[in-house]
Amino acid sequence: AGKRVVAIVDVGHGSTTVVLAAFSNSSARVLSSESREGLGTARINAAMMTHFSAQVEATHGAGSCASAKAKYRLAGAVEKLKRMLSTLDVTSVGVDGLIPDTDVSLKMTRVELEAMAAPICEEVSALVKLVLARAPGEVHAVEVVGGGTRTPCIAAGIQEA
């Protein structure tokens, strides 16, 4: 049989890589690849951290999220929210111990998350389009790996490309 051309898209925490490869029964050859350091889900987390830090500080006072312990707990809650929003349209998560003697709940919709993530999603889509444009013909499949590909707007951007 002939060669099959496959694109592999890896969206991780800190970078994104797109590889275009040709496979036959006896060989595999990389046709093209591009990688972008800093183009990963860490940027989405950072945008969410900024958003929720401002929200908590507006409600509970400046400096509420300044300690390393508060930042750590907030980061865990942000990661949990992001994962939940890959399958839900709206969700909230409680953050234990963020503020002494106070229950803090963070709420977000998928629409809000996608608005924050839009620049990252657009960059991932552009990177995929750049590599796919180099294909010598038909691309038979696009395989996705990495946790970032579960983010709905990233998945949609890959599919659109």
Side-chain angles (χ1 to χ4, degrees):
K3 291 187 178 188
R4 291 187 50 84
V5 176
V6 177
I8 302 163
V9 182
D10 179 3
V11 181
H13 187 72
S15 66
T16 295
T17 302
V18 182
V19 176
L20 190 64
F23 295 92
S24 69
N25 289 339
S26 61
S27 68
R29 186 168 59 96
V30 172
L31 303 174
S32 179
S33 68
E34 289 287 337
S35 188
R36 297 289 184 274
E37 287 296 320
L39 180 56
T41 59
R43 284 179 47 195
I44 297 171
N45 290 18
M48 291 174 73
M49 286 285 290
T50 299
H51 170 78
F52 285 115
S53 290
Q55 190 178 79
V56 169
E57 291 187 356
T59 305
H60 301 284
S64 302
C65 297
S67 73
K69 185 176 178 181
K71 288 178 185 174
Y72 177 79
R73 290 186 178 183
L74 188 60
V78 157
E79 184 66 32
K80 187 174 182 179
L81 267 174
K82 185 179 72 177
R83 288 176 192 237
M84 292 169 69
L85 287 169
S86 70
T87 58
L88 301 171
D89 290 331
V90 63
T91 193
S92 62
V93 64
V95 189
D96 293 331
L98 185 63
I99 306 218
D101 303 320
T102 305
D103 292 332
V104 176
S105 180
L106 308 178
K107 182 179 179 183
M108 181 172 261
T109 66
R110 184 183 295 179
V111 171
E112 291 171 319
L113 172 63
E114 289 185 352
M116 281 183 207
I120 295 106
C121 297
E122 290 166 10
E123 286 181 56
V124 169
S125 182
L127 187 63
V128 173
K129 285 176 185 175
L130 174 71
V131 174
L132 291 179
R134 298 176 184 160
E138 179 184 1
V139 175
H140 298 94
V142 176
E143 299 293 332
V144 295
V145 295
T149 60
R150 288 187 213 101
T151 303
C153 71
I154 289 177
I158 293 168
Q159 192 169 20
E160 176 189 299

